[in-house]
Amino acid sequence: MFRNQITSCCLLIIAACFLTSCSRPVRSGPSNSKAGSDSLTADKTALLFGGLSVDTPPEKLYATFNQFCRYYFGSHRDTLYHTYASQSESAGENTWIYSSERSATIARETRLPSLAYIEYGPTTRYGFRTSLPERNFYLHIHYLQDLKPSSEYHYRWVSIDENGRETRTQDFTFKTRPVDSNTIYISSKMGAPPYILDKANTTYVLTEDIVAGKTAFDIRAGGITLDLGGRTVVHAADTIDSLDYAALSRSGIGIRSRGLQSLSGLKIYNGVIKQGNAPNNLDYLAGEDMLRPDKERREKLSKNSNRGFSNIEISGFENVEIAGVTSEYHFPQTWGMRFDSAHGSYDIHHNIFLDKGTQMFDRHGAGGARSLGFQPIRNAENSENQFRVHHNLVKRTRQNAINAAGQVYNNEIYVDSWVVNSFAIQPASRGGRVLNNKMFLTGYYACGVLWADEDLLVGNNLIHMEGVKTMIERPMKGRRLIETWGEQDVLAGMRITNYGKGGQPRRNLKYQNNIIIGNARHGSEIRGTEFFSDYSIKDLIFEDNIVKIIAEDTTTKASCIHTQGAFNDRSAHEPVFYNRNLLISNTCNIRFGDFYGQGSNHRFRECTVVRVGEKPAYHTFVFDGRNSVFNHKLIDCKFTGGAVYNDVYWCNTQSLSNYSIDWTLTLKTIPEADVFINDNNGRSVFTGKSGLDGQIQVVLPQSIIRPVEWKPDGKEETVEKKYDYQEEKLSPYTVVVQKAGDRRSKAIELVGKSTLEMY
């Protein structure tokens, strides 16, 4: 499901391309414009977007967000989109169709973002077409309406790329379903909603648009298929006093099921579900109470308005499929689709989610505002869940998008963060697979992929971040939901955190073949990765990835790799491995530590470190975080474009901080010989034996880079000389080979990956 690993040769070729053609900023412009626009217009768009407030009406909010996306996301912004497209592999489900009696949903995924519509009709002359979307997407999900039962239809896709080039697919056909006497048809003739669906193993079909004052559908039996018939369902259109999500008469949910016993078998297809606009429902979290409520007010809000407006809320079901559904919401503290006590299999695919809201009061636990998620999960302890979430288009979410599914792949997600820790994807705690997703992050505090407890694979994802300023002033004032911790405009591609003093186990987490792009401006911050090291985090590997982070002004803090760690004995931290990555930046490639985490023992092997542009404040390495962080190693790494191994800025740190430049020495000698290696001070650094083939590999430091204030006595002091360093050179090395009384010695100057023959 993900491409082959990027070889070191490929990384060097890509690095060379950036050095020769990408040192200048990429011109910004609307992604559906041939000529683009000047940077002043783009900058104005970023300031306008960052200046939105919690009182911005939903339609204005989304229009401004669309404009921002047109300028700042898309292949016109970076050639790495084409790199990703050329190396991506289809998951085998990039096209999908659901045909009903009088409607159909058809979906397709393209390799690059585009505008797309469908031409359709009873013959190859077509005659009908769907509407163009509001901006370019990878995923395209369209509804065909006013069809005839038991009829064959022709259709083809028409795509318009970001340069205005138009392409048409071949002709395809599908056949609508016949009218079935066993089907139950839902219309206003049945009276006002809520409509009770209580006949097991039955298909229900909606035949007209409906508006529900409160809840629209209540499902009370298993084996039900609800076909929305390509229609639109509006729920929570009336004011709901004394809101209670568990009570049918006091909730405003689109489709709900809250059976006391477990039910099996539910399918929902083919239609649109939208929240209404009743003013009182929007007032549950208005004004200053939303920003910083006291304990009593927070508890009241949590009890009364945490639940009750989701587009779909299902509890206790197993074996569920939802596809071809558009979920649109804007109320405070609400979800698009919520699955409680979920078990068995879930297949949530080819849906559209659109969050037009801003307000929240609680981002934690089962609260927050999410596109879809599972909370809690009824699976046996330590087992991997069977929930698949794939090929969904999240046009915007104010907080989290996808939560706790075992398999998350081929989704397209746009996060406009309005609260600390807004995640595109939060994987399952065990056995999660996050593959082939496209994530686009902006706003207040967004992250691409969150961590898991055990056995996580994150592969072949594209993450594009665009930093903006949303804060009015620091530390406690802003336009979005401000707390007492974490107030900053920051974006992170991938993140792993251990809170407090650390110690939470996280094991076997692998991130490979991903592309992370970030551009920051106006004092925002971007981190390609922020991985914690700790004694309890083991087998954390980030390999064969491309990370490109660009700061567009001097007020921005950005880095490809942002190392963090628990506030405990940093000398006991397990290593974090970064293997064969391409790290490109005009400001900082690797930042060691910050105020949030002070991790040690991060190891970079065979990485290519690239500087682009001529930014005067650029540094290959930056040390931050107040306290010392140490034992970082760069093994067999290449430095190009102006990045150098000893370009370091000690921003805010103590004198024990350090990193080393290491190289692999391959020794070819007599089989099973004793091998001794001493550094240039005569100190023993290695003792071992050659293998049966006479070979042995040893990683040795060329030098250790420390602050000028470092002293051998081990005492810490604040680093004042921020641009200076001292380098302890440990090369040349003396290699001794001994066997059966035969002793041989040879010196080698180690300034690169080397091979030494001693026979």
Side-chain angles (χ1 to χ4, degrees):
M1 299 176 81
F2 48 91
R3 67 180 186 269
N4 295 329
Q5 291 184 349
I6 303 172
T7 64
S8 297
C9 180
C10 290
L11 291 179
L12 287 174
I13 292 172
I14 295 171
C17 291
F18 277 103
L19 289 174
T20 58
S21 64
C22 296
S23 60
R24 296 184 300 274
V26 178
R27 189 180 186 187
S28 300
S31 56
N32 58 353
S33 169
K34 292 182 180 180
S37 181
D38 58 58
S39 59
L40 289 176
T41 303
D43 194 61
K44 182 178 179 181
T45 299
L47 291 171
L48 180 64
F49 168 68
L52 297 174
S53 72
V54 292
D55 298 320
T56 304
E59 297 306 322
K60 180 181 178 181
L61 169 82
Y62 189 53
T64 305
F65 180 67
N66 272 324
Q67 181 72 357
F68 179 86
C69 290
R70 293 187 193 106
Y71 273 106
Y72 286 103
F73 295 126
S75 63
H76 68 285
R77 287 286 290 166
D78 204 292
T79 57
L80 283 176
Y81 273 73
H82 297 275
T83 302
Y84 181 79
S86 66
Q87 297 173 340
S88 295
E89 296 179 2
S90 171
E93 301 169 85
N94 62 328
T95 60
W96 176 80
I97 184 168
Y98 175 84
S99 59
S100 183
E101 296 175 12
R102 293 177 171 82
S103 63
T105 306
I106 303 179
R108 180 175 183 245
E109 182 179 12
T110 53
R111 285 190 173 272
L112 287 170
S114 65
L115 300 173
Y117 62 90
I118 297 173
E119 295 180 326
Y120 65 99
T123 69
T124 54
R125 297 179 65 180
Y126 306 113
F128 302 93
R129 57 174 286 182
T130 60
S131 300
L132 280 172
E134 58 270 42
R135 62 181 192 267
N136 296 285
F137 295 109
Y138 283 92
L139 285 164
H140 312 276
I141 303 168
H142 287 245
Y143 298 103
L144 282 58
Q145 297 177 324
D146 300 322
L147 308 180
K148 296 179 180 179
S150 302
S151 300
E152 183 178 74
Y153 282 87
H154 294 258
Y155 75 96
R156 67 179 177 185
W157 285 93
V158 181
S159 298
I160 306 169
D161 69 15
E162 293 165 298
N163 294 314
R165 293 185 295 249
E166 189 172 276
T167 59
R168 288 173 167 80
T169 66
Q170 68 186 69
D171 180 72
F172 300 99
T173 62
F174 69 92
K175 191 171 183 178
T176 54
R177 297 185 181 185
V179 174
D180 187 346
S181 60
N182 294 319
T183 296
I184 297 177
Y185 296 94
I186 302 173
S187 70
S188 56
K189 295 178 181 179
M190 300 175 63
Y195 300 114
I196 309 301
L197 282 54
D198 57 2
K199 189 173 181 180
N201 305 314
T202 298
T203 296
Y204 292 82
V205 176
L206 185 63
T207 62
E208 62 184 58
D209 297 342
I210 66 168
V211 176
K214 297 178 180 178
T215 291
F217 297 96
D218 189 37
I219 297 172
R220 300 184 181 181
I224 283 178
T225 296
L226 175 55
D227 181 345
L228 296 173
R231 301 295 181 173
T232 297
V233 176
V234 176
H235 61 99
D238 296 340
T239 295
I240 302 175
D241 295 321
S242 302
L243 179 69
D244 184 351
Y245 74 92
L248 179 61
S249 62
R250 292 161 56 194
S251 64
I253 300 168
I255 302 172
R256 75 190 289 270
S257 178
R258 300 203 57 81
L260 298 178
Q261 75 280 7
S262 179
L263 298 174
S264 179
L266 173 63
K267 297 180 179 181
I268 305 174
Y269 300 122
N270 187 31
V272 179
I273 309 175
K274 301 172 62 174
Q275 290 178 341
N277 293 303
N280 190 63
N281 298 337
L282 290 170
D283 289 341
Y284 273 106
L285 288 174
E288 290 298 318
D289 283 334
M290 188 278 295
L291 294 177
R292 207 167 291 110
D294 56 33
K295 182 178 179 181
E296 181 179 353
R297 174 63 174 164
R298 181 182 291 273
E299 290 176 350
K300 182 179 180 181
L301 290 170
S302 179
K303 179 179 179 181
N304 293 332
S305 59
N306 185 33
R307 303 275 290 279
F309 292 122
S310 296
N311 296 131
I312 296 177
E313 183 163 334
I314 305 298
S315 178
F317 251 101
E318 65 176 352
N319 305 326
V320 173
E321 180 182 14
I322 302 177
V325 174
T326 293
S327 174
E328 184 177 321
Y329 55 98
H330 60 278
F331 287 165
Q333 207 77 9
T334 191
W335 293 31
M337 297 182 189
R338 179 181 182 123
F339 309 108
D340 279 6
S341 300
H343 55 293
S345 66
Y346 273 67
D347 192 9
I348 313 300
H349 63 95
H350 294 98
N351 302 290
I352 298 173
F353 296 86
L354 176 52
D355 179 356
K356 293 183 178 179
T358 60
Q359 296 195 34
M360 294 172 55
F361 69 88
D362 184 4
R363 64 178 174 87
H364 297 91
R370 304 181 183 182
S371 301
L372 71 106
F374 302 84
Q375 176 71 38
I377 298 169
R378 281 179 47 190
N379 276 53
E381 189 175 355
N382 299 322
S383 67
E384 299 176 5
N385 74 55
Q386 302 300 309
F387 306 154
R388 298 197 307 156
V389 178
H390 60 98
H391 294 91
N392 297 285
L393 172 57
V394 180
K395 291 183 175 180
R396 179 188 176 270
T397 180
R398 83 193 83 163
Q399 194 206 14
N400 295 352
I402 298 173
N403 176 69
Q407 299 180 53
V408 183
Y409 59 93
N410 286 80
N411 300 283
E412 182 178 357
I413 301 168
Y414 295 82
V415 179
D416 169 20
S417 171
W418 282 72
V419 66
V420 170
N421 292 354
S422 300
F423 298 111
I425 297 174
Q426 180 177 350
S429 60
R430 293 177 177 85
R433 297 293 182 266
V434 179
L435 308 171
N436 301 298
N437 301 282
K438 277 74 72 175
M439 290 163 266
F440 305 90
L441 314 179
T442 189
Y444 173 47
Y445 199 135
C447 302
V449 182
L450 188 57
W451 61 86
D453 293 337
E454 190 172 7
D455 298 331
L456 173 66
L457 175 61
V458 178
N460 196 33
N461 300 282
L462 171 66
I463 301 177
H464 183 170
M465 301 176 284
E466 291 288 339
V468 296
K469 180 182 179 180
T470 71
M471 302 289 293
I472 296 173
E473 62 182 57
R474 299 185 183 190
M476 290 300 296
K477 289 186 178 180
R479 302 176 179 91
R480 304 194 178 199
L481 178 56
I482 305 301
E483 302 183 28
T484 58
W485 178 255
E487 287 72 33
Q488 56 188 313
D489 291 313
V490 63
L491 306 174
M494 296 176 178
R495 178 181 171 190
I496 298 172
T497 295
N498 259 354
Y499 292 100
K501 295 182 179 181
Q504 299 94 334
R506 313 200 193 286
R507 304 175 189 274
N508 191 27
L509 309 180
K510 180 175 286 189
Y511 303 77
Q512 62 184 37
N513 300 318
N514 303 282
I515 293 179
I516 302 175
I517 304 166
N519 301 290
R521 59 195 61 79
H522 303 157
S524 61
E525 180 176 354
I526 284 188
R527 307 163 183 171
T529 67
E530 49 177 341
F531 292 153
F532 256 54
S533 56
D534 196 359
Y535 67 86
S536 60
I537 299 179
K538 299 181 179 181
D539 299 318
L540 170 52
I541 300 173
F542 182 77
E543 65 183 17
D544 298 308
N545 304 283
I546 301 173
V547 186
K548 180 187 175 187
I549 303 297
I550 302 296
E552 295 187 355
D553 53 42
T554 59
T555 63
T556 295
K557 184 164 70 174
S559 57
C560 298
I561 304 296
H562 200 101
T563 72
Q564 295 180 333
F567 289 82
N568 51 30
D569 183 2
R570 294 181 292 283
S571 63
H573 286 186
E574 290 286 322
V576 177
F577 298 98
Y578 306 83
N579 302 327
R580 302 181 302 278
N581 301 292
L582 176 59
L583 309 178
I584 305 164
S585 183
N586 72 338
T587 180
C588 174
N589 300 94
I590 301 171
R591 180 179 290 270
F592 294 113
D594 63 7
F595 76 98
Y596 193 74
Q598 300 170 7
S600 295
N601 211 11
H602 290 248
R603 299 183 180 180
F604 301 80
R605 184 185 290 271
E606 297 182 356
C607 292
T608 301
V609 182
V610 183
R611 177 184 180 180
V612 294
E614 302 295 333
K615 190 177 177 67
Y618 167 87
H619 292 285
T620 308
F621 304 100
V622 173
F623 278 76
D624 206 347
R626 301 187 303 276
N627 297 323
S628 297
V629 292
F630 35 76
N631 294 340
H632 301 297
K633 295 180 179 294
L634 287 97
I635 305 167
D636 300 336
C637 293
K638 298 178 176 65
F639 297 85
T640 62
V644 291
Y645 78 92
N646 55 2
D647 174 21
V648 56
Y649 172 51
W650 313 97
C651 176
N652 182 16
T653 190
Q654 299 288 306
S655 58
L656 295 184
S657 290
N658 66 62
Y659 67 96
S660 65
I661 303 300
D662 295 27
W663 302 103
T664 298
L665 173 63
T666 300
L667 176 63
K668 297 180 179 180
T669 187
I670 305 165
E672 297 186 288
D674 294 318
V675 178
F676 308 94
I677 302 178
N678 296 331
D679 66 16
N680 59 6
N681 292 311
R683 294 172 297 198
S684 175
V685 295
F686 178 79
T687 300
K689 277 185 175 293
S690 61
L692 293 175
D693 60 355
Q695 294 194 32
I696 187 171
Q697 285 191 331
V698 184
V699 175
L700 301 169
Q702 169 190 327
S703 57
I704 302 173
I705 310 295
R706 300 185 178 98
V708 171
E709 289 84 355
W710 177 82
K711 296 180 178 62
D713 60 14
K715 292 183 179 179
E716 277 195 306
E717 58 180 274
T718 300
V719 175
E720 300 292 345
K721 297 181 179 179
K722 298 183 182 298
Y723 297 97
D724 296 331
Y725 67 93
Q726 56 177 301
E727 181 175 359
E728 181 183 1
K729 296 183 178 180
L730 303 174
S731 180
Y733 287 91
T734 301
V735 181
V736 177
V737 175
Q738 180 174 307
K739 185 173 183 180
D742 183 13
R743 180 182 177 90
R744 304 176 188 183
S745 177
K746 196 169 185 179
I748 181 171
E749 185 72 49
L750 201 63
V751 292
K753 192 174 183 180
S754 303
T755 299
L756 179 64
E757 296 184 1
M758 294 179 63
Y759 293 102

